[in-house]
Amino acid sequence: MKGEGHADRSIGRFLTSSSSHRPSPQARICGSEPIRGRGPKAVRPDIPTCTASRMEYRMLTDRDPTLSNESEPDPEGLSHRRATFLILVLATIVLAVALMTATLSSGGFDLPDGILILCFALTLPWTVIGFWNAVVGFILMRRHRDPASVVCPLDADPPSAVTAKTAILSCIRNEDAERVVHHLDRMIQGLLQSGYGQAFEIFVLSDSHWSDCIEAEEAGMQRLRDRWSSQMSIRYRRRPDNPGYKAGNIQEFMSRSGDGFDFALVLDADSLMAPETILRMVGIMQRNPRLGILQSLVVGLPSTSAFARIFQFGMRLGMRSYSLGSTWWQGDSGPYWGHNALLRVTPFRAHCRLDPLPGRPPLGGWILSHDQVEAVLMRRAGYAVRVLPDERGSWEENPPTLIEFVRRDLRWCQGNLQYLRLLGTPGLHPIGRVQLVLAILMFIGSPAWVLFMTLAALQIGRVPESGSLFDPVLGWSLFTLVMTMVFAPKLATLGSLLLSREGRGDFGGAPRLLAGAFGEILFSTLLAPVMALAHTLFMGGLLFGKAIVWSPQRRDTHRLKATQALRRLWPQTLFGLAALVWLIATDAGGAVFLSPFIFGALLAVPIALLTAWPRFGAWLARIGLWRIPEEVDPPPLIRALGLPAVRRGRGRVAESEQVAAESIGGD
């Protein structure tokens, strides 16, 4: 159950992206700084708006006063879609909980049974929403030739009619400057070749404090200027410290330089976007003045990392049906994932500034997962937030190892749990408030699932003396229902692809597509307990003030040492070993329900080592397993990058350069 949710967060971040991997107009908290903005709720700079003890999160304005107060049109029938979707989700949750209650009631009902049902219920929201998103997405894919235009019906001005000025913001902190420069160089070249490069300016916004990174950034920016400054403005700015992290970095740009721009395209260090995608997004934003944020659908770049290949193949399977289904009911209240997205500068500056949350870290202080808060605040101001559910032209790099993946997810975990302080924010759009709740449940579901499995193992182990734990017929029915819902997004997309010659060809043909799909489902099943235990342990640490360290992500394929993997994943190994010994000692026949969880935890270290082995990843790339469309038919921009996964003779990686440094990824 939880594994799919985790993947969902990454779509959006998958879903987002979900649990995974997993995934706001202007705010001000307890501050006395001057505030930019207009309207009756503007705050005088000399009067504090609140105190930390009251834990209020005050908004500068409820709604942008420049927008009409008339009711927003609803040509898509979003209110009816949302009501239908809500009924389906609630009915399914009630059905699943009722079935679990009946299953456990066969041998009597006691306190452990009640705890099991509560834990089960906490894991359901993301699973059920993912299921119905997949159902809706599958129907859209089969009924419409262009389902993306059905769920996101936005017209665009042609590039020749674009008069808006757009700042391209590359936000970096202690990253590989060569990668940043390489990606920017290709995007600048593409925009200039399109003939519309004069509408853009480049800003590299650095929060770096490592001296070698700073030197590399300055040298790289000079190379970019030397090549392109006669045709496009390229500016580099570094903050001596980084208040507000990335959100603060962007807001400082908005305050200092935003007046000269209509839109801002936000990029991460690993972001890459095709010029035609950028121009299309600018055209859409110019044509639709009530659109505040336009988020592209971000997919993974081709990789020779085994872990990244498997993960992003699974993302692509789940993403298509899931994103179409979620966009169908979210509509103009969609998510923002913090990068590869276009912002309307004026309302973003006026309504989306984030100051520190009251209280001490880890749940107080600067908001780590700023993006969804900014989306909710933008919607509150009366502007739409849309996802463009098109898989073409927008890329990022996924973590190359399980260790890096866990680190990234724990940062999201801490950031999402900070939303607990924001749930009472007045005036939020109902969908926005639901999104904040779901972002919290994305990770709250992990300890609930771990507790459920632990308690179930203890109960099963006592079966000889306490009688039957559950009704086997109802139990298998419930298990089938849950597994169907968990894998529905991937199965829906897989079914649609297999019914299409073009779809099969995008992934290297039906045999590779089927082999990759079932291999990825096995992999995600084993990965799910590893991530759930990591979330649970991390959230336990949060209760004692332990917080994640904001450190750069290592993006290159590299080999892990066994000691490194064991140092990070020994709790999962110990948990799996203890559960296995317990069930063997008690001769528990019902352990089949728990075996994926137990073996996933037990095999955490071998999985981490194998999927980080460069030779294994290069071999997978050569044989075409877990191939994505950009490898089968690389777009010109991807081909120009010269990635090993898309060029002939991709293979050998120098072992000496691929061992993870102990200093990289330290928490």
Side-chain angles (χ1 to χ4, degrees):
M1 308 177 236
K2 190 62 188 163
E4 187 70 14
H6 180 74
D8 290 352
R9 160 68 167 144
S10 287
I11 286 190
R13 274 216 104 340
F14 192 143
L15 326 168
T16 196
S17 285
S18 146
S19 150
S20 101
H21 341 12
R22 311 148 262 198
S24 301
Q26 165 128 352
R28 173 163 184 80
I29 309 174
C30 309
S32 58
E33 298 177 13
I35 298 183
R36 302 173 185 273
R38 297 169 290 179
K41 294 195 177 183
V43 182
R44 285 178 51 189
D46 58 330
I47 301 179
T49 58
C50 60
T51 64
S53 62
R54 293 169 60 190
M55 292 189 180
E56 296 179 5
Y57 195 71
R58 291 285 303 274
M59 300 296 174
L60 175 61
T61 63
D62 287 338
R63 184 179 179 85
D64 192 319
T66 64
L67 295 178
S68 168
N69 287 324
E70 298 178 0
S71 299
E72 297 179 23
D74 187 15
E76 302 167 72
L78 285 174
S79 57
H80 291 94
R81 291 182 186 180
R82 289 165 179 166
T84 301
F85 195 83
L86 177 64
I87 291 171
L88 290 172
V89 168
L90 292 179
T92 306
I93 290 175
V94 169
L95 172 64
V97 171
L99 191 55
M100 173 62 79
T101 303
T103 300
L104 295 177
S105 298
S106 62
F109 196 86
D110 54 15
L111 179 60
D113 293 327
I115 297 174
L116 284 172
I117 291 172
L118 176 61
C119 292
F120 176 70
L122 287 173
T123 68
L124 283 176
W126 271 102
T127 302
V128 174
I129 289 173
F131 169 73
W132 285 112
N133 280 343
V135 171
V136 172
F138 181 80
I139 293 172
L140 290 169
M141 287 188 290
R142 301 316 305 161
R143 291 187 59 184
H144 302 282
R145 190 174 188 85
D146 184 13
S149 65
V150 174
V151 296
C152 188
L154 298 177
D155 295 327
D157 285 337
S160 59
V162 169
T163 58
K165 191 71 174 176
T166 300
I168 298 179
L169 312 181
S170 179
C171 304
I172 60 177
R173 183 169 187 261
N174 299 327
E175 295 279 359
D176 178 2
E178 286 299 320
R179 172 182 278 103
V180 176
V181 170
H182 192 46
H183 287 190
L184 286 176
D185 180 74
R186 293 295 180 265
M187 287 188 280
I188 292 170
Q189 183 178 39
L191 288 170
L192 291 173
Q193 288 176 346
S194 74
Y196 304 104
Q198 73 281 357
F200 299 88
E201 293 186 24
I202 304 294
F203 291 81
V204 177
L205 308 179
S206 172
D207 273 349
S208 299
H209 64 276
W210 293 352
S211 58
D212 54 342
C213 290
I214 296 170
E215 292 174 5
E217 289 169 7
E218 292 173 347
M221 291 308 104
Q222 189 57 52
R223 292 198 303 274
L224 276 182
R225 290 194 192 100
D226 291 343
R227 184 176 185 189
W228 301 115
S229 61
S230 62
Q231 302 174 71
M232 183 180 293
S233 173
I234 300 172
R235 307 185 206 178
Y236 171 79
R237 185 271 289 141
R238 186 179 67 84
R239 296 195 297 173
D241 53 11
N242 65 325
Y245 305 119
K246 180 180 172 183
N249 198 358
I250 293 172
Q251 277 295 347
E252 181 175 288
F253 164 82
M254 297 287 187
S255 299
R256 292 175 178 266
S257 307
D259 287 340
F261 298 93
D262 301 284
F263 312 133
L265 181 70
V266 180
L267 304 176
D268 273 353
D270 60 339
S271 295
L272 182 74
M273 296 189 69
E276 57 271 21
T277 300
I278 297 173
L279 291 168
R280 180 189 177 198
M281 292 175 68
V282 171
I284 290 174
M285 191 75 89
Q286 181 171 287
R287 175 70 70 88
N288 299 272
R290 294 184 75 127
L291 182 58
I293 299 176
L294 181 60
Q295 173 68 61
S296 67
L297 197 60
V298 191
V299 301
L301 283 168
S303 175
T304 55
S305 156
F307 182 88
R309 289 185 67 82
I310 303 170
F311 173 73
Q312 62 197 31
F313 178 91
M315 267 187 61
R316 294 298 281 269
L317 277 189
M319 173 183 291
R320 189 169 299 183
S321 64
Y322 189 100
S323 61
L324 288 170
S326 62
T327 306
W328 178 80
W329 63 272
Q330 290 180 353
D332 57 8
S333 298
Y336 164 47
W337 300 320
H339 61 98
N340 295 44
L342 194 64
L343 314 177
R344 191 175 296 275
V345 168
T346 298
F348 191 88
R349 179 172 58 184
H351 301 286
C352 300
R353 176 181 170 182
L354 304 179
D355 286 329
L357 287 168
R360 301 192 324 183
L363 297 185
W366 296 110
I367 300 174
L368 297 182
S369 298
H370 60 92
D371 39 20
Q372 189 56 53
V373 182
E374 290 161 340
V376 171
L377 294 174
M378 181 68 84
R379 189 68 189 93
R380 182 181 186 271
Y383 289 88
V385 179
R386 289 273 190 175
V387 172
L388 197 60
D390 188 337
E391 297 176 37
R392 297 167 297 179
S394 182
W395 299 276
E396 65 176 347
E397 293 180 271
N398 286 307
T401 69
L402 176 55
I403 303 302
E404 289 294 317
F405 186 70
V406 170
R407 287 181 56 239
R408 187 183 73 169
D409 228 51
L410 297 186
R411 188 170 70 242
W412 290 348
C413 177
Q414 181 177 332
N416 284 22
L417 292 179
Q418 288 180 297
Y419 297 168
L420 288 165
R421 301 279 178 90
L422 308 176
L423 293 179
T425 301
L428 296 183
H429 191 282
I431 297 298
R433 208 178 297 277
V434 167
Q435 287 168 334
L436 293 180
V437 171
L438 289 175
I440 295 168
L441 287 176
M442 178 189 305
F443 292 101
I444 294 294
S446 287
W449 189 37
V450 170
L451 180 58
F452 177 91
M453 301 302 283
T454 303
L455 189 56
L458 294 175
Q459 291 284 83
I460 290 173
R462 294 191 300 110
V463 165
E465 61 184 63
S466 60
S468 176
L469 173 64
F470 58 85
D471 182 298
V473 175
L474 291 178
W476 279 109
S477 300
L478 180 62
F479 181 79
T480 303
L481 172 65
V482 171
M483 290 298 101
T484 300
M485 292 193 295
V486 163
F487 295 113
K490 295 173 183 177
L491 295 177
T493 302
L494 178 63
S496 182
L497 290 173
L498 289 172
L499 292 173
S500 163
R501 177 180 297 179
E502 181 181 356
R504 296 191 300 270
D506 284 345
F507 289 84
R512 282 193 177 96
L513 177 59
L514 285 169
F518 289 110
E520 191 282 331
I521 286 174
L522 174 62
F523 175 78
S524 62
T525 301
L526 296 175
L527 181 64
V530 177
M531 299 308 301
L533 287 163
H535 297 156
T536 302
L537 292 170
F538 179 72
M539 281 186 270
L542 290 178
L543 298 176
F544 298 96
K546 180 181 179 181
I548 196 75
V549 174
W550 191 277
S551 55
Q553 178 178 300
R554 183 163 187 186
R555 307 180 193 278
D556 293 321
T557 301
H558 57 274
R559 178 167 56 87
L560 286 175
K561 297 177 182 177
T563 53
Q564 291 172 312
L566 188 59
R567 180 160 55 87
R568 300 288 181 175
L569 300 172
W570 68 265
Q572 286 87 340
T573 304
L574 184 61
F575 183 95
L577 182 61
L580 183 63
V581 169
W582 164 256
L583 292 174
I584 291 175
T586 55
D587 194 24
V592 64
F593 289 103
L594 307 177
S595 57
F597 190 94
I598 294 172
F599 285 108
L602 189 62
L603 296 174
V605 171
I607 290 172
L609 293 175
L610 179 62
T611 56
W613 189 20
R615 289 185 179 178
F616 179 56
W619 177 73
L620 292 175
R622 281 198 300 273
I623 67 173
L625 188 56
W626 292 301
R627 183 178 287 179
I628 57 176
E630 286 80 4
E631 294 177 66
V632 176
D633 184 18
L637 185 61
I638 298 296
R639 194 180 297 277
L641 288 180
L643 299 173
V646 296
R647 66 172 184 247
R648 293 180 182 178
R650 48 184 177 267
R652 297 188 180 179
V653 185
E655 291 282 337
S656 61
E657 297 177 0
Q658 297 304 317
V659 180
E662 294 289 346
S663 60
I664 298 291
D667 291 338

